[in-house]
Amino acid sequence: MRGFINLFPLIFLLAVFCLEDCLATDIIRINDQIKDQETILSSSQIFKLGFFSPVNTSNRYVGIFINIPAQNVIWVANRDNPIKDSDGIFKISEDGNLVVLNGQKDILWSSNVSNSVRNSSAQLLDTGNLVLKDNSNGRVIWESFQIPTDSLLWNMTLGASRTEKIHLTSWRSPSDPSIGNFSFGVDPLRIPEFFIWNRGVPYWRSGPWNGNVFIGLPAMNSGYKDRFELRTDGNGSIYFTHSILNDSVLLYFVLNSSGVLVERVSYYSDGNSNITWLSIQSGCDVYGKCGPFGRCNPLNSPICTCLKGFEPRDTQEWGRGNWTGGCSRKAFLQCDRNNSAGQENKLDGFLKLENIKVPDFSHLVEFLAANTVEECGNLCLNNCSCTAYTYYTGIGCMQWTGSLIDIQQFTFNGADLYVRVAYSELDFKRNMKAVTASTVIVGFLFLVLCAYFLRKWFTRHRGNKQKDQELSLFEAWEVAKMETTLRDNLDQSKLDDLPLYSYETLANATENFHSKNKLGTGGFGPVFKGKLLNGQKIAVKRLSNCSHQGIKEFMNEVMLISKLQHRNLVRLLGCCVERDEKMLIYEYMSNKSLDAYLFDSRKRDILDWNRRKFIIEGIGRGLIYLHRDSRLKIIHRDLKVSNILLDEELNPKISDFGLARIFGGNQDQANTTRVVGTYGYMAPEYAMGGKFSEKSDVYSFGVLLLEILSGKKNTSSHDNENDLSLIGYVWKLWNQNEAVKLVDPALFDPQIEMEVLRYLHVGLLCVQESAKLRPIVSTVLSMLNSEIAELPRPKLPAYTARLGNTESEYSQLRGFSINDVSLTIVQGR
Ligand SMILES: *[C@@H]1O[C@H](CO)[C@@H](O)[C@H](O)[C@H]1NC(C)=O
Ligand SMILES: *[C@@H]1O[C@H](CO)[C@@H](O)[C@H](O)[C@H]1NC(C)=O
Ligand SMILES: *[C@@H]1O[C@H](CO)[C@@H](O)[C@H](O)[C@H]1NC(C)=O
Ligand SMILES: *[C@@H]1O[C@H](CO)[C@@H](O)[C@H](O)[C@H]1NC(C)=O
Ligand SMILES: *[C@@H]1O[C@H](CO)[C@@H](O)[C@H](O)[C@H]1NC(C)=O
Ligand SMILES: *[C@@H]1O[C@H](CO)[C@@H](O)[C@H](O)[C@H]1NC(C)=O
Ligand SMILES: *[C@@H]1O[C@H](CO)[C@@H](O)[C@H](O)[C@H]1NC(C)=O
Ligand SMILES: *[C@@H]1O[C@H](CO)[C@@H](O)[C@H](O)[C@H]1NC(C)=O
Ligand SMILES: *[C@@H]1O[C@H](CO)[C@@H](O)[C@H](O)[C@H]1NC(C)=O
Ligand SMILES: *[C@@H]1O[C@H](CO)[C@@H](O)[C@H](O)[C@H]1NC(C)=O
Ligand SMILES: *[C@@H]1O[C@H](CO)[C@@H](O)[C@H](O)[C@H]1NC(C)=O
Ligand SMILES: *[C@@H]1O[C@H](CO)[C@@H](O)[C@H](O)[C@H]1NC(C)=O
């Protein structure tokens, strides 16, 4: 008898182990107890419930964690009342509630919902939710998702109604799960938007929800990110849930004890987890960093500046780097002025700021009935209390009253914000200058035209037969028109940055365009090396006279490039429009183009793996700038190895924007009747249908990437049996799991194999046949540097078979007339 009593605990313990290991139950019933060291698992073993101690403490807590070695805790029951020893118990009490008891049977925590349900059970679901059910009717009477701690899991709801708020609350410290200073949730009184509060004071915000994304989180626009969904009921309640794209990863958010919302991804397969996003990435993400009417730009130093028409409220404090005081107006608005003589008609105006994280709404803003940005602006102008407005697709007209706080400058995906300023702050002076300048230019053009007439008249009478060398009158008009557009479009301040060179200067610099100075022939004419009198080296691109459409390309190029400045783009120094000659003057790149290194057996060793990575990344940066960050959306359309130039330090720079077209604001695909580009680099939809978009550049980028990795040209043959193109060859090796074979032997090093494979993988994603499947360039870069860890499987790429070598063969192959296409087949400079 005695022996049996002594054995009893042991038998019980075994039974409990069985509970976990044999029964693998996910249910707690009325008589079950979970003791310290014991756990239960959800049915797919993704989540685990049990006792744990945070770092640096022996206190015990009951929690739910992800069933991976790192045991990330996602929920804590008794967060405010730790168990001091290892005698704790988690069970369903007599009154039907879940409770945490200590060794003395004191209740440290209770679900505290029912006192009438006598028969209930709890289940740990595969979503991470612990639900308590009334067994008599199956009703859920309590769930852990209703009282989250610091983690937001998929399918969990955060939100607020008038009576109830569901917020995340941070731990006090990594070793103390009790409620800390920070909380995360939605404010029901405002336009739907996430906030992090520090003891109730805003610390971070996501920017308003546009039905799809939060417009203050530009990185969220990438299709690979998590998806949120907004739910509302008629009574002013707002809830967000988030769901993930992929069943094999768990994506969730944690508000850590220093107030940073961290997005984590855990992989069920190998138990690894990784941080994929942070709410605070720079000082600018902290709410109101620059105070009222201040603008924060993380790329500037100092990061804060006052909006135009405003000055620091306290210059000394501002100078010390305490910007929270913000800025104040330099001049009174029309409604605040006492109308003295001469000021009655001076109406306020708006200054437009581009790519902005819109300010916080300090007052509830009704959605205004305005269907266009102009209507929205008129409503604002006519209301004295309106200080700024934005018209954003998916949200509509938003207006602000009072101070504008928490304005951040983005480089892409931001909104246009129109800020009200007094008449005196509007930019009339510059406009006056523009008017004068255009008058002068129109006069100048008139003279140029006269000169053309005269010259034509003279040459005709001299019987000169060199007609081809000249511009027709029509073309002269066209040039004039283009030049006017050029001047109108150029920022007046930028005009000084684009000097006009005389023909003589350039002829002297290039020794009269001597062939020994010829660097190569680009798509639209030869390029010469030159040296100005002051010693500066230049590259002069001389537009071929025989090319009729060349004039158009030239003007296009001048207009575009003069506006683009980025360290991965070749700089345009000036231009020359003289003697029927059109020339562009670029900065000189001492190391010529990438193909001079890549396809040269003696020089390719210089390009080691890190250098190649650097070059690929640089090209990507330049492309992002062209596609997203510059004021215009520009598709390059002729990206290839010979268009990547290298400076002294082998920094890559993209050249030749002659083919780029200006896109309208939200247009992302266009048709063209003239296909310009280089075969082997052209995406199928562009080569065949003349349809170009960001994604056709991504295709060319993919080809470039594969060429840089392999050190081989796409257009040469790579598999003698099957006459495969480089892409076809990569695809074949990839499917045989032998992709490493492709890599340039100059690079070979087993240590970098994984990284190289990742690059190849991304390259294949870029050259997929379907433009829709190709990632955008910013996503490509995130994939390359592992910010996006999970890569989708590449689908069949385009052009796996090698293309014919001549223009006509190519045209026949694709079944269209040679007149529709003009291909640049000369490998340029
Ligand atoms: C735990 O304590 C050690 C020693 O005091 C300290 O170095 C460490 O930073 C602490 N860890 C955390 C997460 O607080
Ligand atoms: C349970 O709820 C009651 C009333 O709602 C409250 O007074 C009590 O403190 C709660 N108990 C626990 C353990 O939360
Ligand atoms: C509780 O309900 C379940 C299912 O209805 C039943 O099987 C069980 O016997 C009940 N337990 C008690 C103690 O009433
Ligand atoms: C997520 O919630 C939706 C709606 O509440 C539900 O239909 C779906 O089954 C849930 N998903 C999981 C995995 O529980
Ligand atoms: C919470 O905020 C208060 C006041 O700012 C500060 O004294 C305290 O250290 C903070 N607590 C933690 C855990 O950061
Ligand atoms: C809105 O509130 C009213 C009164 O409080 C309630 O009767 C109604 O059910 C609520 N509607 C929804 C959708 O929750
Ligand atoms: C999820 O990711 C894994 C690993 O990358 C992949 O094998 C699987 O196909 C993906 N599933 C879906 C539905 O995308
Ligand atoms: C919170 O997350 C940020 C970003 O990862 C990190 O710098 C910080 O140390 C974290 N805070 C704590 C207390 O872990
Ligand atoms: C997690 O991220 C780091 C750095 O970004 C990376 O080195 C590591 O491979 C990633 N781990 C996984 C499992 O993706
Ligand atoms: C910054 O300035 C504000 C008032 O403009 C003041 O309240 C605050 O204490 C200052 N902070 C520091 C660190 O000096
Ligand atoms: C306008 O006039 C009122 C009363 O005459 C005066 O108090 C106020 O300071 C004046 N405001 C300005 C901007 O001159
Ligand atoms: C001006 O705007 C405020 C705030 O949006 C609004 O309350 C007020 O009615 C408007 N006034 C007029 C005249 O429209």
Side-chain angles (χ1 to χ4, degrees):
M1 184 70 190
R2 222 186 127 77
F4 176 77
I5 288 171
N6 279 346
L7 270 174
F8 183 70
L10 184 66
I11 291 167
F12 183 77
L13 201 66
L14 283 174
V16 169
F17 267 115
C18 265
L19 192 78
E20 186 188 330
D21 293 340
C22 310
L23 303 178
T25 185
D26 55 355
I27 296 179
I28 307 170
R29 296 206 166 74
I30 195 110
N31 290 321
D32 303 337
Q33 309 199 348
I34 296 175
K35 296 188 170 174
D36 210 318
Q37 308 301 329
E38 296 167 1
T39 57
I40 66 168
L41 286 171
S42 69
S43 70
S44 310
Q45 318 214 329
I46 297 169
F47 291 97
K48 197 154 87 171
L49 184 148
F51 291 74
F52 73 99
S53 294
V55 290
N56 286 354
T57 171
S58 58
N59 287 342
R60 302 296 283 167
Y61 297 89
V62 175
I64 298 174
F65 19 89
I66 302 170
N67 189 22
I68 57 174
Q71 295 217 339
N72 299 321
V73 178
I74 56 141
W75 184 77
V76 186
N78 55 326
R79 64 189 301 188
D80 293 315
N81 280 321
I83 309 159
K84 299 291 184 188
D85 51 32
S86 55
D87 298 331
I89 289 170
F90 185 59
K91 65 170 210 170
I92 294 179
S93 67
E94 258 76 86
D95 64 2
N97 274 313
L98 280 167
V99 288
V100 175
L101 307 175
N102 63 11
Q104 290 74 48
K105 303 284 184 283
D106 301 327
I107 296 180
L108 297 180
W109 175 87
S110 159
S111 57
N112 205 13
V113 274
S114 83
N115 46 24
S116 55
V117 180
R118 292 281 166 232
N119 185 355
S120 57
S121 64
Q123 185 177 14
L124 179 61
L125 304 180
D126 270 333
T127 51
N129 197 4
L130 179 67
V131 295
L132 184 64
K133 278 187 193 155
D134 182 345
N135 280 345
S136 59
N137 56 14
R139 219 162 37 91
V140 172
I141 51 177
W142 177 91
E143 54 186 333
S144 63
F145 273 14
Q146 281 172 348
I147 47 158
T149 54
D150 64 346
S151 305
L152 177 69
L153 286 108
W154 66 313
N155 242 17
M156 193 159 136
T157 298
L158 273 195
S161 63
R162 297 224 155 82
T163 51
E164 170 196 48
K165 286 191 175 72
I166 307 181
H167 283 177
L168 300 185
T169 43
S170 69
W171 289 20
R172 190 170 289 271
S173 77
S175 49
D176 180 0
S178 64
I179 291 177
N181 282 344
F182 296 95
S183 60
F184 170 74
V186 186
D187 185 340
L189 295 179
R190 304 182 189 221
I191 188 168
E193 166 172 31
F194 275 133
F195 273 85
I196 293 174
W197 294 276
N198 181 355
R199 301 171 141 225
V201 179
Y203 177 65
W204 175 87
R205 65 188 187 97
S206 64
W209 175 250
N210 78 350
N212 227 343
V213 294
F214 297 95
I215 68 173
L217 307 179
M220 227 180 152
N221 277 351
S222 120
Y224 288 82
K225 283 275 171 192
D226 36 84
R227 287 182 299 191
F228 280 90
E229 234 173 76
L230 173 70
R231 279 193 285 126
T232 54
D233 62 16
N235 291 347
S237 315
I238 296 174
Y239 296 98
F240 277 102
T241 51
H242 98 273
S243 51
I244 55 163
L245 301 165
N246 194 319
D247 292 345
S248 64
V249 299
L250 176 69
L251 187 147
Y252 62 106
F253 294 85
V254 182
L255 179 66
N256 82 9
S257 52
S258 21
V260 179
L261 188 71
V262 178
E263 183 192 65
R264 281 175 170 278
V265 169
S266 292
Y267 305 90
Y268 300 140
S269 51
D270 55 6
N272 276 326
S273 71
N274 235 350
I275 291 178
T276 46
W277 177 81
L278 299 170
S279 61
I280 307 267
Q281 295 173 9
S282 76
C284 285
D285 292 322
V286 173
Y287 181 90
K289 186 79 181 178
C290 301
F293 300 109
R295 163 162 55 167
C296 198
N297 184 346
L299 303 176
N300 282 356
S301 172
I303 54 178
C304 289
T305 45
C306 287
L307 296 181
K308 202 160 178 306
F310 293 81
E311 59 199 355
R313 185 162 289 177
D314 181 336
T315 326
Q316 281 187 351
E317 211 175 65
W318 187 271
R320 279 198 302 270
N322 180 359
W323 300 295
T324 48
C327 310
S328 54
R329 280 186 194 282
K330 288 187 193 160
F332 286 105
L333 294 178
Q334 76 201 40
C335 301
D336 304 332
R337 262 190 323 251
N338 288 342
N339 281 330
S340 52
Q343 297 234 316
E344 294 85 359
N345 296 325
K346 306 235 160 134
L347 294 181
D348 297 340
F350 292 97
L351 290 177
K352 180 180 178 186
L353 309 178
E354 291 174 339
N355 269 328
I356 292 294
K357 174 177 183 176
V358 296
D360 185 22
F361 297 95
S362 33
H363 305 277
L364 179 65
V365 174
E366 302 294 341
F367 292 103
L368 293 152
N371 292 322
T372 62
V373 63
E374 288 79 20
E375 278 179 45
C376 186
N378 284 336
L379 282 178
C380 185
L381 189 62
N382 294 329
N383 187 337
C384 276
S385 57
C386 176
T387 47
Y389 71 94
T390 293
Y391 189 87
Y392 199 94
T393 321
I395 301 179
C397 179
M398 294 180 269
Q399 298 192 351
W400 284 262
T401 59
S403 303
L404 304 176
I405 195 154
D406 200 31
I407 300 177
Q408 193 183 144
Q409 182 71 54
F410 292 143
T411 47
F412 60 95
N413 275 347
D416 290 340
L417 179 72
Y418 298 84
V419 179
R420 186 186 203 121
V421 293
Y423 172 84
S424 57
E425 298 301 322
L426 291 170
D427 219 354
F428 289 114
K429 273 178 243 129
R430 211 161 101 185
N431 291 350
M432 286 304 287
K433 209 168 124 194
V435 170
T436 335
S438 13
T439 319
V440 170
I441 287 159
V442 167
F444 169 76
L445 287 175
F446 181 73
L447 287 180
V448 168
L449 277 179
C450 287
Y452 276 126
F453 273 124
L454 277 175
R455 207 185 140 92
K456 224 175 165 55
W457 189 82
F458 272 122
T459 44
R460 201 168 277 157
H461 286 255
R462 279 210 315 259
N464 193 327
K465 291 278 177 286
Q466 285 184 306
K467 282 224 172 86
D468 283 355
Q469 295 290 320
E470 285 180 49
L471 296 172
S472 67
L473 179 61
F474 174 75
E475 281 175 324
W477 265 116
E478 188 150 62
V479 173
K481 231 165 49 202
M482 294 297 288
E483 278 178 356
T484 321
T485 332
L486 166 68
R487 301 289 162 170
D488 286 352
N489 281 314
L490 275 177
D491 205 322
Q492 285 302 307
S493 60
K494 291 265 167 63
L495 200 62
D496 302 334
D497 300 341
L498 188 75
L500 293 169
Y501 289 78
S502 74
Y503 182 87
E504 273 71 30
T505 312
L506 298 177
N508 286 340
T510 58
E511 298 174 71
N512 237 337
F513 302 102
H514 197 282
S515 56
K516 75 169 187 210
N517 284 329
K518 194 158 153 180
L519 291 169
T521 305
F524 298 92
V527 182
F528 294 89
K529 184 168 95 173
K531 200 169 179 184
L532 296 175
L533 286 178
N534 65 7
Q536 190 189 1
K537 284 186 177 171
I538 52 172
V540 181
K541 179 169 179 175
R542 196 177 185 188
L543 192 71
S544 335
N545 280 337
C546 56
S547 156
H548 274 295
Q549 277 113 333
I551 296 155
K552 229 176 180 170
E553 256 91 25
F554 174 79
M555 301 315 283
N556 201 357
E557 196 165 12
V558 174
M559 270 198 289
L560 289 174
I561 303 177
S562 59
K563 290 179 184 174
L564 302 177
Q565 290 191 13
H566 187 270
R567 68 173 177 281
N568 294 114
L569 299 183
V570 174
R571 270 214 53 198
L572 179 72
L573 300 174
C575 67
C576 169
V577 191
E578 218 176 298
R579 296 199 196 180
D580 305 353
E581 287 267 8
K582 305 276 166 278
M583 287 183 273
L584 292 173
I585 294 86
Y586 292 99
E587 60 180 328
Y588 176 73
M589 292 290 135
S590 53
N591 277 316
K592 307 219 176 117
S593 64
L594 180 57
D595 54 349
Y597 281 80
L598 201 56
F599 305 136
D600 183 320
S601 52
R602 281 160 305 161
K603 282 193 186 164
R604 67 160 51 133
D605 290 355
I606 298 171
L607 302 180
D608 61 11
W609 173 238
N610 282 332
R611 176 59 60 186
R612 289 188 199 205
K613 260 172 38 180
F614 180 76
I615 288 174
I616 291 169
E617 213 173 278
I619 302 169
R621 290 255 158 70
L623 265 190
I624 293 179
Y625 177 79
L626 288 177
H627 288 174
R628 291 278 149 122
D629 297 0
S630 65
R631 287 200 292 143
L632 307 145
K633 179 168 180 168
I634 287 164
I635 310 299
H636 187 292
R637 295 166 65 194
D638 194 16
L639 197 63
K640 53 182 170 180
V641 182
S642 59
N643 272 339
I644 307 300
L645 305 186
L646 301 172
D647 70 5
E648 310 90 81
E649 283 142 9
L650 295 179
N651 292 312
K653 291 181 186 243
I654 303 175
S655 79
D656 237 346
F657 304 98
L659 312 176
R661 295 287 168 105
I662 305 172
F663 266 10
N666 46 15
Q667 206 179 342
D668 63 356
Q669 205 179 51
N671 281 305
T672 179
T673 45
R674 289 193 70 210
V675 171
V676 232
T678 305
Y679 68 77
Y681 290 93
M682 271 192 284
E685 74 277 6
Y686 178 43
M688 288 189 270
K691 265 188 164 179
F692 63 88
S693 69
E694 267 177 86
K695 298 295 185 75
S696 40
D697 274 358
V698 168
Y699 180 90
S700 312
F701 180 77
V703 175
L704 245 170
L705 198 159
L706 295 176
E707 286 184 327
I708 293 174
L709 293 182
S710 64
K712 297 188 180 90
K713 288 186 189 167
N714 185 33
T715 43
S716 51
S717 177
H718 296 279
D719 187 78
N720 292 333
E721 284 166 52
N722 301 316
D723 200 26
L724 291 175
S725 67
L726 177 64
I727 294 176
Y729 186 52
V730 179
W731 180 243
K732 184 179 147 195
L733 291 178
W734 178 264
N735 285 315
Q736 296 168 349
N737 277 330
E738 290 182 327
V740 188
K741 268 197 191 164
L742 178 95
V743 173
D744 191 341
L747 292 181
F748 185 76
D749 177 358
Q751 279 191 347
I752 58 165
E753 188 179 316
M754 287 316 292
E755 206 173 8
V756 171
L757 279 177
R758 184 174 189 87
Y759 273 63
L760 278 175
H761 190 156
V762 176
L764 281 172
L765 291 176
C766 294
V767 297
Q768 291 174 105
E769 173 106 48
S770 156
K772 234 169 44 203
L773 291 178
R774 293 174 213 147
I776 59 171
V777 189
S778 49
T779 310
V780 169
L781 283 197
S782 302
M783 287 173 159
L784 290 177
N785 60 26
S786 306
E787 272 163 27
I788 294 174
E790 289 287 308
L791 303 184
R793 266 193 86 75
K795 299 250 164 42
L796 181 72
Y799 304 136
T800 45
R802 195 169 72 92
L803 297 172
N805 243 340
T806 65
E807 236 174 88
S808 56
E809 192 183 336
Y810 181 71
S811 304
Q812 279 157 12
L813 191 73
R814 292 299 167 197
F816 50 31
S817 135
I818 188 69
N819 296 330
D820 295 343
V821 277
S822 83
L823 296 160
T824 332
I825 49 168
V826 192
Q827 292 290 324
R829 53 197 213 248

